[in-house]
Amino acid sequence: MTSIDLALAGVSLGAIAALSGIGLLVTYRTNGVLNLAQGGIATLVAYVFREMVVEWNLPIWLAAVFSLAVVSPGIGLLLERLVFRPLARRRASAAESLVASLGVLVLSLGITAGIWGLGSRSDAPSIFPNSSVRLFGDTRIGVDALAELVMVIVFAGVIGLIAARTAFGRQIRAVVDDRQLAELSGVPADKVAAAGWAAGTTMAGLTGILLAPRFQLTPYGLTLLVLETFAVVVAARLSSMPVAVLTALGIAILQSELKQFTLHGDAGQILTVLQSNLFIVALLVLLLAVPKLRELGSGDSGATASFSSRGAPPSGRVSGVRLRQDYLGKLGGGALLLAPLTFAPSDLRSAFMVPALALIFLSMVIVTGYSGQLSLGAAGFAGLGALLSLKLANGDLFGLPAMPGIVSMFVGALFVAPIGLITGYPAIRRRGLTLALTTFAVGAVVSRFVFEQPTFATGLYLDPLSLFGWELSEKAFYVFELICLGIGLLVVRNLHHGRLGRALLALRDHSEGAAAVGVDVRNLKLLAFTVSSVVAGLGGALLVHSSYSFSADDFAPLQSLLWFTAVVVFGADSAAGAIVAAAFMVTIDVLAPAGSSTLAIGILALALGWMPGGLASAVRGGLRLLAQYLADSFVDPNQRAPRPVPVRISAVGHLPATTGITGLTGIPGIGSTLGAARAGHYARWPLSGSQDGLPADAPRLTPFGASLVAMVQQYTAAQTAGARRRQATDPDGAPRPTVPRPAGPTPTGAGAGAHPAEGGRA
C-alpha cells in the first residue's frame, strides 16, 4: 500500500478516536468530571447492539437507533441523577468524582462480563456497508471512514456553535464555574448537567459500536482501546475540541504509516507493538510533556486526594466500657487469614491469592491512603515483580545465576524499586487527575511492551518453592505468604506512625501547607512510590506462584483500576481494609461466576456517596455507636460525661429564624436544631469561645459550638447597637434625648452595649 492509502486507512480509526474525545470533552465541560467510565459504557452499548442484531435478528438501523437514542443517553441520565448529581450538590472533590467514575467503569464491566462472559466475539456487526469510494485515480477511501469523518465534523461544529452562540452554552459555562451561584441565578443546573451526560454517553456508545467490528469484541479489550483515546483530550488540555480532533487524526494516521516500515530483532518487535499501540504511547508522552491540564475547579492549593476513612474523632470520652476498635479489627483480620489453614488442600489453593492480593492492595494504601497520590498503575509494579522474580529463578536476568525461588521473590521485588522511583518523579509536580492518568499510562505501556512480548514473558517456568532444601507443602507455602504479608504490614505500620507518618498525612491533607512547615514533600512522594512499588512487586511474585503461571491478563491495566476501586471502597488508608478487600474479591470469584467480584466492587463503589471513607469508615462509625450505646447502658447516669450541645450547620446556608433569641432572624448557618431555650440561655453569657463562668449544671459545648454561640452574641450585640443608634436620631435629623444608664460597672464581652435582657449580664 502507498503512503496515501495508509493515511486514508488511518482516517477511520482517527475519526472514531475523535468521536470518543468529543464525548469526553462534552461531559467534562458540562460537569467537570473526566468520565473514566467511557470505555465501559462503550463496551456495554456495543454488546447490546450486537445482541439485538445477532441474537434477536433486528435490522441494523433499528438496533443502532435504539442503542444510540435510548440505551446510551439513558445510561447518561441515570448516572447524572443517581451518582454524580449528589456529588455535585455537595461540592465533592475531584478525587471523589474520579472514584465515582471508576465505580461506574467497574460496574459496567461487571454487568458485561456477567451477562456475556469474558470470551471474545468476532461477529460484531457494522452500521456501514463494506465498500469504498474513489477519490482520485486509484486512491479509494472506505465508506465507513468517510461517514465517520463527516460525523466528526458535524458533531464538533454543532457542539462548538451551541457552546459559543446560544443561551444554553452560557448556562453551561455558568454551571461549570459555580453550580450553586448558577442555580441562584435561575439556571437549571440539573438539566444542563443531564444534557451533558446524555450527550457524552451517546458519543461513548457510538464509539463502541464503531470499534467493535474492527477488533475482537471482549469486555476488557474494547474498554482499554477506548481508554487509550484519552490521549486526544490530554493533548487538548481538556479544553480545545479542534485540537482533540486533529490530534486523534494525526496519531491514527501516523500509526497507520508505521506499517510500511519493517525492522528486525528487538527493534522490530518494538516497532510491531507501536504499529498497534501508538495511542497509549502518545498518552504517556503527552502527559509528561504537557505542563498542566486545565482542570475545572482545581486550585493551586490543597491536597491531591484525601481518602481518610478514620472519620471525625468522638466528641467525648467513653467511660465505663471501652471497645477497642483497632484490636477488634486486628483480631478479625488475623482470624480471617488463619482460617484457610483448616481447609482441605483443594480449598486451600483457592486461598493462596488472598495474601498475595492483600500485599498489592497494601501498596496502594501506602501511595494513596497515606500520601494522597492517585496511582492507577499498581498492576504494572506487581507484574514487574512477578516477571523479575521468575527470570531470577530461571537465571535469565542480566547474566545473574539462578536463585532459589524464595530468594528470587525478595530480590525481584527490590529490583522494582528503581522503576517505582522513576515513576515517582512525574508525581513531584503532578497531582490529581494528571497523576492518575500518568500512572495508568505507565502501567499500560509496561503491559503492552513487556508483559505481552514473547521475548520477555515466554519460556519461563515455575519450580516448587523450597527452603533449605525442603520443598514447601501447601500449608507451608500459605504460612510463607502470611509471613510476607506480615512484613508488608510492618512496613505500612512504620510508614503510618511516628514523625514519618505525620509527615505523610500532612502531605496527603495539604501538600503546600506541609511544605510550608518544613516537610520534604519531594522526597516523601518519591519514598511513597518506591516503597509502594516494592510491596506490590512482592505481592505480584506471590500471585504468580499462587496461580502456578504467569499471564499478562493478570496484570492488565484494567486490573489496576479494579484494584484501586476495591481499595477505596474498603478504606484507602486502612491496612485491615486491604486484607478484607482481597479476601472479598477472591471469595466472590471462587463462589460465583466469572466477573461477579467486578460487579460487586462496582456496586459498592457507587455507594461511596453515602459512606465517605469506604466500608472501613462505616464499620468504625458503627463500632463507635456501639461503644457509646454500651457506655450509656452500663454507666450510672449521674457519672456520665456531659454531652455537647447538638449543633447542625445548614448546607443551604439560610434556615427559618430560630425563635426565642432576639436578633437571630436571618443569621446564615445556624441550624434549627439549636434549641431556642438553650440558645437563649447561652446568649445571656459572654463566652467569646470559652465557657468560663457558666453554671455548673450547664451542658458543655464543643469548641465549634462555643464559637457559634460567640458569633450569635456578637451579631446580637451589633444588631442592638445599630438599632440604638437609629433610635437616637429623630426622623427629621434632630437628636433624641438619651436615657441615662443605671450606675454600675460597664459590661464587657460579647454582650457589651446590649440590654441585659438581650445580651448583657442580667
Side-chain angles (χ1 to χ4, degrees), residues 19 30 52 114 171 198 256 290 303 313 321 335 346 356 369 443 578 604 629 641 672 675 696 730:
L19 290 172
T30 54
M52 288 189 292
Q171 291 178 348
S256 183
V290 173
V321 179
S346 59
L604 292 175
Y629 172 77
S672 59
D730 286 327

Side-chain angles (χ1 to χ4, degrees), residues 71 203 213 232 288 391 569 584 593 631 692 719:
V71 177
M203 302 299 289
V232 304
L288 297 177
K391 284 187 169 293
V569 164
F584 175 82
D692 298 334
Q719 292 288 92

Side-chain angles (χ1 to χ4, degrees), residues 36-45 104-105 108-109 112 219 223 226-227:
L36 294 182
Q38 179 102 338
I41 296 171
T43 302
L44 180 60
V45 175
V104 175
L105 170 65
S108 59
L109 285 176
T112 304
T223 300
V226 177
L227 288 176

Side-chain angles (χ1 to χ4, degrees), residues 91-114:
R91 294 189 174 185
S93 64
E96 290 179 282
S97 299
L98 175 71
V99 173
S101 64
L102 284 176
V104 175
L105 170 65
V106 173
L107 179 61
S108 59
L109 285 176
I111 293 174
T112 304

Side-chain angles (χ1 to χ4, degrees), residues 409-429:
M409 282 184 176
F410 291 101
V411 176
L414 291 176
F415 278 3
V416 184
I419 302 172
L421 181 64
I422 295 173
T423 306
Y425 270 101
I428 295 176
R429 296 186 179 275

